[in-house]
Amino acid sequence: MSKRLFSISNFNLNSSTFSVNNLLSYVPRAIPTKKKSLSKPQSGKRVVAEVLNATTNEVHQHSHYKRSTHPTSVPISKLFSNNFPLSVAESIEHYKLRNDPLQFQHELLSVLPFYPNMDHLGRTSKVLKVFIDDKGNYINEFVIYPPGKTEADLASLKHLVMIHGYGAGLGFYLKNFDAISSRDGWCIHAIDLFGYGCSSRPHFHPQNLKEVEDWFYDSYEAWLAQKDIDKSKMLIMAHSMGAYLMACYGIARDPYFCKKIIMASPGAIIKHKRQIPVPGYFKRLWERNISPFVLVRKAGPMGSKVVSGWSSRRFAKLPAREAHLLHKYAYGIFQARGSGEYMLNFLLAPGADARFPLIEREIHKLRCDMTWWYGDGDWMDKTGGQMCSDIINNLADSAGRHQHSDVKIIENSGHHVYLDNITQFNNSVLEEMDKF
């Protein structure tokens, strides 16, 4: 059997039936401990404990920033050669708070000058639970109001709606909120998709593509219905699978769902040009919706330490306090009950190839402007954005419409363009707001 597994650092961080023991049973003799190789198979929990206790350095010591890469398998030796630098004691402390991810979010957002109190510019913000049905389910929203404005003034404002990608949450936009909320007349809404982040995480019941999409579309529409927002005054910025879902929403439900959408490193736009090798076992894990989230959940008190193997590189270039709080936040949402993330296998084939590419889904129906942003080192193929733009622009020209689509490259960045090059990304969003 091939001794390769998918990597925590490379995969956009799930199955309720898979355990650490199952995962490690693929390679029971291949995982080195700190002093010597294992001489015989051991329990998954014992192996994980030995690997995690091999280092107890503080997070961000001796760490290097790492862009995300294509989700595929890597040698098991590389996976477990990663440092898990969070101390055991701190990991246990985080575990004690595992049932309150909103507290992790609150601590994270508290680094912003306008949360929870007004800043010197007069900006205010709050976290809202926007209830979307009679079962108590809700969308978690972080809203930033311009000076002198409140929820009662939404109809008079322009609106930027920020939507995260697969496995993520609104807190990942920490380094963007301050800059992009600096424009008068703009209200910023960052939401957690249904079943993600700090939104409700009910049992995921969809069984086919339509049901999966309705799961997200219905909850988004329920959130929007409670907001006094003119869609002609709405700019959407959506990342990765969030971008794909929003574009598909426009095709399926409302071609005029916003005035313009920023497709930030969007996923599932076209199929891969070349077949990506996927080992048989990796394919089986993918199709059972098993991902590295399971390591976090099954590691128990060591879950935060597991996450530190990823976060210590992902947030390495940020100030220490922000990086630490983002790590805690990431742990908080990664270990929460699996829900919306189970959409992955419905939309992407093993190796992250699109099952239903956006370019094949009547994109010509959209009536909003579009801009497609890719990192210069992105594993997403910018050809998809260019092909979609050509279709939209040609059809708009022939029909005499003023619709436009273009492609932008964010320098020195990969898939997570909003974090890889914070300054250029923020400036680019502000440019879109200024010419809105």
Side-chain angles (χ1 to χ4, degrees):
M1 178 177 290
S2 173
K3 297 179 180 180
R4 296 173 68 86
L5 272 176
F6 42 88
S7 165
I8 293 174
S9 64
N10 289 347
F11 197 74
N12 277 337
L13 301 172
N14 210 353
S15 167
S16 60
T17 62
F18 197 66
S19 69
V20 171
N21 290 20
N22 299 140
L23 176 63
L24 296 178
S25 68
Y26 283 102
V27 283
R29 300 175 184 271
I31 305 168
T33 62
K34 186 176 182 181
K35 294 182 179 180
K36 60 182 180 180
S37 298
L38 299 176
S39 59
K40 61 182 179 178
Q42 301 185 31
S43 73
K45 291 181 180 179
R46 180 177 176 185
V47 171
V48 170
E50 290 188 15
V51 172
L52 297 182
N53 283 317
T55 176
T56 57
N57 295 328
E58 291 300 318
V59 177
H60 314 302
Q61 285 185 339
H62 312 299
S63 58
H64 301 281
Y65 185 69
K66 182 180 178 65
R67 298 178 187 171
S68 64
T69 54
H70 196 285
T72 188
S73 59
V74 298
I76 189 69
S77 59
K78 181 178 180 181
L79 172 61
F80 283 95
S81 67
N82 288 339
N83 281 335
F84 299 88
L86 188 74
S87 70
V88 170
E90 194 160 14
S91 185
I92 293 173
E93 287 302 309
H94 297 171
Y95 179 73
K96 293 177 182 177
L97 299 173
R98 66 191 182 282
N99 294 322
D100 190 13
L102 278 170
Q103 179 60 32
F104 292 132
Q105 177 182 270
H106 172 74
E107 292 178 13
L108 177 67
L109 296 178
S110 293
V111 306
L112 298 171
F114 42 79
Y115 179 85
N117 302 309
M118 181 186 300
D119 71 353
H120 70 285
L121 298 177
R123 293 175 295 180
T124 58
S125 65
K126 66 171 68 172
V127 171
L128 303 172
K129 283 186 177 181
V130 182
F131 289 91
I132 59 174
D133 59 27
D134 57 4
K135 299 177 182 179
N137 289 314
Y138 60 87
I139 293 294
N140 178 56
E141 176 186 4
F142 177 54
V143 57
I144 309 170
Y145 304 103
K149 304 297 182 181
T150 66
E151 195 82 2
D153 301 301
L154 292 184
S156 65
L157 300 172
K158 295 186 285 289
H159 302 269
L160 173 65
V161 178
M162 306 175 69
I163 297 175
H164 61 80
Y166 175 77
L170 64 85
F172 280 28
Y173 292 128
L174 179 70
K175 298 301 292 181
N176 315 118
F177 289 136
D178 192 7
I180 63 180
S181 63
S182 62
R183 293 297 191 261
D184 288 341
W186 279 88
C187 186
I188 313 300
H189 310 261
I191 65 173
D192 285 332
L193 294 171
F194 194 40
Y196 283 100
C198 293
S199 287
S200 294
R201 289 174 172 249
H203 171 70
F204 189 76
H205 56 74
Q207 298 296 314
N208 55 55
L209 177 65
K210 185 180 185 305
E211 291 178 359
V212 169
E213 294 185 338
D214 286 345
W215 162 280
F216 292 104
Y217 300 167
D218 291 348
S219 56
Y220 174 77
E221 285 185 343
W223 169 79
L224 186 61
Q226 299 188 48
K227 297 291 171 179
D228 192 6
I229 297 178
D230 181 344
K231 288 180 286 188
S232 68
K233 296 181 179 180
M234 183 188 297
L235 171 65
I236 292 178
M237 190 287 293
H239 178 249
S240 194
M241 289 307 297
Y244 174 82
L245 286 171
M246 292 310 298
C248 290
Y249 168 78
I251 294 170
R253 297 276 183 101
D254 182 5
Y256 299 90
F257 71 107
C258 66
K259 182 176 181 181
K260 188 168 188 175
I261 181 169
I262 299 170
M263 302 282 285
S265 190
I269 306 305
I270 57 175
K271 286 187 174 294
H272 296 322
K273 295 178 180 178
R274 291 178 295 178
Q275 187 69 31
I276 294 179
V278 180
Y281 79 88
F282 184 81
K283 180 178 180 180
R284 291 193 294 272
L285 294 176
W286 183 290
E287 290 176 343
R288 290 178 58 193
N289 267 329
I290 297 170
S291 83
F293 283 124
V294 70
L295 285 177
V296 180
R297 294 182 177 121
K298 297 301 182 180
M302 297 296 99
S304 187
K305 190 171 179 67
V306 169
V307 174
S308 73
W310 170 81
S311 64
S312 60
R313 293 182 299 278
R314 197 73 195 89
F315 307 134
K317 68 179 182 181
L318 301 182
R321 179 167 178 256
E322 293 178 358
H324 180 63
L325 291 175
L326 266 168
H327 160 79
K328 288 178 63 178
Y329 170 81
Y331 164 68
I333 64 173
F334 290 170
Q335 62 81 41
R337 174 182 176 174
S339 181
E341 66 216 41
Y342 294 125
M343 49 75 81
L344 181 65
N345 186 48
F346 290 94
L347 301 182
L348 297 179
D353 204 6
R355 293 195 189 276
F356 309 96
L358 183 65
I359 198 169
E360 299 176 7
R361 301 197 61 183
E362 300 182 300
I363 194 169
H364 61 277
K365 288 186 176 180
L366 293 175
R367 292 296 181 264
C368 60
D369 288 337
M370 305 185 76
T371 182
W372 310 70
W373 296 2
Y374 297 88
D376 59 0
D378 210 321
W379 64 268
M380 296 297 185
D381 189 351
K382 67 177 182 295
T383 303
Q386 190 60 63
M387 292 172 65
C388 289
S389 292
D390 291 342
I391 293 172
I392 292 168
N393 292 332
N394 291 335
L395 290 175
D397 288 344
S398 62
R401 297 196 306 265
H402 297 291
Q403 187 181 5
H404 180 71
S405 181
D406 59 34
V407 176
K408 176 190 285 285
I409 301 301
I410 305 297
E411 298 175 357
N412 301 315
S413 61
H415 179 51
H416 293 272
V417 290
Y418 59 91
L419 183 61
D420 292 340
N421 190 335
I422 297 167
T423 299
Q424 185 183 351
F425 181 85
N426 289 343
N427 287 339
S428 296
V429 174
L430 289 172
E431 289 174 7
E432 293 294 340
M433 295 167 72
D434 290 342
K435 67 184 182 183
F436 192 76

